[in-house]
Amino acid sequence: MAQSVKGMRDLFGAELRWFQHIEETARRVFGRHGYGEIRTPILEELDVFKRSVGESSDIVNKEMYQFTDKGGRDVVMRPENTAGVVRAAIQHKLLNANDPVLFYYIGQQFRYERMQAGRYRQFWQIGAESFGVASPESEAESLLLLHSFLTELGLKSLVFSINSVGTPESRPAFHAAFRAFFAQRADRFCEDCHRRIESNPLRVLDCKNEQCQAALEGHPVITDHLDEASAKHHARLKSLLTELDIPFVENPRLVRGLDYYTRTAFEVLSSDLGAQSALLGGGRYDGLFKQLGGPEVPGFGWAIGLDRLAMVLQQVRGDAPFTPPALLIPLGERAATEALKLARTLWDTGVTLQLETRGGALKKAMASANRLGIQTVLILGDGELDSGMITVKHMATGEQESWPLGEVAERLADRG
Ligand code: HAM
């Protein structure tokens, strides 16, 4: 039997219903904040990710689906969408007028990762990116957007974990202090961390190894080494979040797995996903436009894992809101013709209805209705056609009644 590729799932049924509900909520909330959708290709040139996500990151180092196409180009199935959206904004000169630009996206991403709960090789992200504004207020706006999105989905007790990773100019001061700290206890760190301390010391803070995390006890904190402007920026964001009642904690080890962040970096963890798994993450990336060959433009954004969000919502709220269609069952050829006509009228007025087209026994059709979770069954036979009254069976109670044929649309609509 043919199987889907490991780590790549088919989506259907109850899980897909959560995806759809989340996507509808996202479009509504994003639209309210003035964000417009953008869709970029799944394949990007390798260079786009090397220059942005960074060569020292696990994503670029170990996890990319990368190949040479028939034209000899080195291409990658995107592991994330921020770099592609920035590439598109540069390519199409979307920022020429220097106005702020607000984008959101919903799409598949690909990372060759070890499988775990909520971790897949093809997964979905919903993201929001705000280009052209460097202020803490723009970050607060983006976080408010995220907060209303999660609140409208019914997630209430999430805590934002925030940090500032400074700027490329201010970071060497932290690197020096951190390398000195590392040198004093170098034997307690893993081999990967020995490589990281050379290529990108911040990555050591992000190491998943428990021994390394223990060895980090008392490490120098990056927010103690910020330049004045970054420190002010960080303090202002924290005061805005307090004013807005957005709960947050400061996490000096939060550096994120991608290299493009400057100043603010943040995540939201969910205990439903296990200790190490973030529900979402994001931050500021003021150098990214330049790194990808564009003008100097500040940016801030975040992305949430749709697969993980759907999983958490299923745990917290049960099945996604869903009203199954009504089922119309005709009995006999004359009724089959009339049922097609009636169904057409009902569909045209917006009624959600499934039509039984197999013919044959009522028992078989009723058994299907049961399996499909259908609540309302309409039965149309010769007797109903002659009397102008359709038989209606409410599956939950077994109750049966007759409705005038002309009132079916209205009565089904009342059902909700
Ligand atoms: P990220 O932290 O790499 O950031 O990914 C964001 C979210 O995508 C994660 O928090 C997680 O929910 C989901 N995710 C990541 N990998 C997987 C996986 N293998 N399976 C399931 N879900 C996964 C970014 O991608 C940045 N582009 C976020 C950003 C936007 N920063 C600024 N703007």
Side-chain angles (χ1 to χ4, degrees):
M1 185 178 44
Q3 298 275 334
S4 61
V5 173
K6 187 169 178 201
M8 315 227 167
R9 296 172 314 138
D10 302 306
L11 292 167
F12 51 87
E15 188 178 20
L16 186 60
R17 277 203 277 281
W18 266 124
F19 270 60
Q20 290 167 328
H21 182 75
I22 294 166
E23 289 169 19
E24 280 160 24
T25 309
R27 288 181 200 283
R28 189 173 64 243
V29 178
F30 289 140
R32 227 156 53 200
H33 279 243
Y35 284 63
E37 186 175 357
I38 186 162
R39 300 185 194 191
T40 64
I42 281 171
L43 284 191
E44 293 279 354
E45 304 256 354
L46 169 63
D47 213 33
V48 168
F49 301 108
K50 273 194 171 171
R51 287 207 261 168
S52 59
V53 173
E55 299 206 54
S56 74
S57 68
D58 279 356
I59 296 178
V60 168
N61 251 325
K62 308 181 190 162
E63 296 170 0
M64 287 201 303
Y65 280 88
Q66 176 182 340
F67 59 94
T68 309
D69 74 5
K70 288 188 175 26
R73 292 173 205 90
D74 284 329
V75 292
V76 170
M77 290 168 76
R78 62 183 186 200
E80 61 100 58
N81 219 158
T82 309
V85 174
V86 169
R87 193 261 318 129
I90 297 168
Q91 181 176 337
H92 304 291
K93 303 188 172 49
L94 300 178
L95 282 144
N96 262 5
N98 269 333
D99 294 329
V101 175
L102 306 171
F103 280 128
Y104 78 88
Y105 50 82
I106 301 177
Q108 297 100 316
Q109 320 297 330
F110 301 84
R111 295 182 194 175
Y112 195 83
E113 288 201 77
R114 259 216 343 261
M115 305 286 296
Q116 277 178 23
R119 180 167 297 169
Y120 306 100
R121 292 181 177 168
Q122 173 179 261
F123 60 98
W124 289 72
Q125 281 185 343
I126 296 186
E129 312 289 355
S130 152
F131 298 154
V133 191
S135 68
E137 285 76 5
S138 78
E139 300 176 10
E141 181 277 325
S142 174
L143 294 177
L144 263 186
L145 163 72
L146 174 57
H147 195 257
S148 4
F149 171 51
L150 295 175
T151 308
E152 279 188 34
L153 285 171
L155 292 179
K156 292 194 182 76
S157 52
L158 296 171
V159 176
F160 290 73
S161 177
I162 68 167
N163 194 17
S164 174
V165 294
T167 61
E169 295 74 39
S170 69
R171 226 165 277 150
F174 170 72
H175 284 171
F178 189 62
R179 283 199 172 108
F181 168 87
F182 185 94
Q184 284 164 6
R185 60 198 69 210
D187 55 330
R188 294 176 59 193
F189 286 95
C190 71
E191 239 176 76
D192 277 347
C193 281
H194 280 265
R195 240 180 298 115
R196 291 175 182 131
I197 197 73
E198 296 307 323
S199 60
N200 186 350
L202 281 183
R203 287 266 155 277
V204 175
L205 291 170
D206 205 25
C207 182
K208 301 286 178 277
N209 187 319
E210 273 172 31
Q211 269 181 328
C212 297
Q213 283 297 320
L216 280 168
E217 183 73 38
H219 68 86
V221 172
I222 191 161
T223 41
D224 290 341
H225 293 82
L226 295 179
D227 57 282
E228 204 185 320
S230 298
K232 243 175 97 181
H233 183 105
H234 192 51
R236 173 73 177 147
L237 175 65
K238 287 190 290 180
S239 95
L240 287 171
L241 294 181
T242 307
E243 289 279 340
L244 294 165
D245 279 333
I246 295 183
F248 69 92
V249 290
E250 285 197 72
N251 178 358
R253 292 194 190 171
L254 193 154
V255 293
R256 312 266 304 119
L258 308 92
D259 283 351
Y260 48 61
Y261 293 108
T262 52
R263 295 190 170 164
T264 308
F266 76 98
E267 280 181 354
V268 172
L269 301 183
S270 167
S271 51
D272 299 300
L273 292 166
Q276 301 286 354
S277 287
L279 185 57
L280 63 96
R284 175 160 291 288
Y285 44 84
D286 289 349
L288 187 52
F289 274 81
K290 259 270 159 80
Q291 279 155 24
L292 290 173
E296 205 146 319
V297 174
F300 181 85
W302 48 265
I304 189 160
L306 196 37
D307 310 71
R308 292 183 187 182
L309 183 55
M311 196 170 117
V312 171
L313 286 170
Q314 181 73 40
Q315 279 162 18
V316 175
R317 289 189 49 194
D319 283 343
F322 172 64
T323 313
L327 179 68
L328 174 56
I329 306 174
L331 303 174
E333 197 174 295
R334 178 175 157 227
T337 311
E338 293 308 314
L340 279 163
K341 292 184 193 166
L342 174 63
R344 177 203 258 174
T345 315
L346 294 173
W347 286 325
D348 288 351
T349 51
V351 167
T352 315
L353 178 90
Q354 200 168 315
L355 178 63
E356 173 60 77
T357 53
R358 289 176 294 185
L362 177 62
K363 213 170 141 196
K364 188 168 143 194
M366 292 301 282
S368 294
N370 255 326
R371 280 192 297 272
L372 294 171
I374 284 170
Q375 305 285 319
T376 313
V377 172
L378 309 170
I379 301 164
L380 190 68
D382 287 340
E384 280 79 7
L385 286 171
D386 293 340
S387 65
M389 300 288 283
I390 195 162
T391 303
V392 181
K393 183 155 181 159
H394 301 285
M395 300 297 277
T397 56
E399 200 187 313
Q400 202 160 299
E401 57 179 330
S402 290
W403 292 352
L405 272 169
E407 290 179 18
V408 175
E410 202 180 312
R411 293 197 186 210
L412 280 176
D414 284 350
R415 196 183 54 126

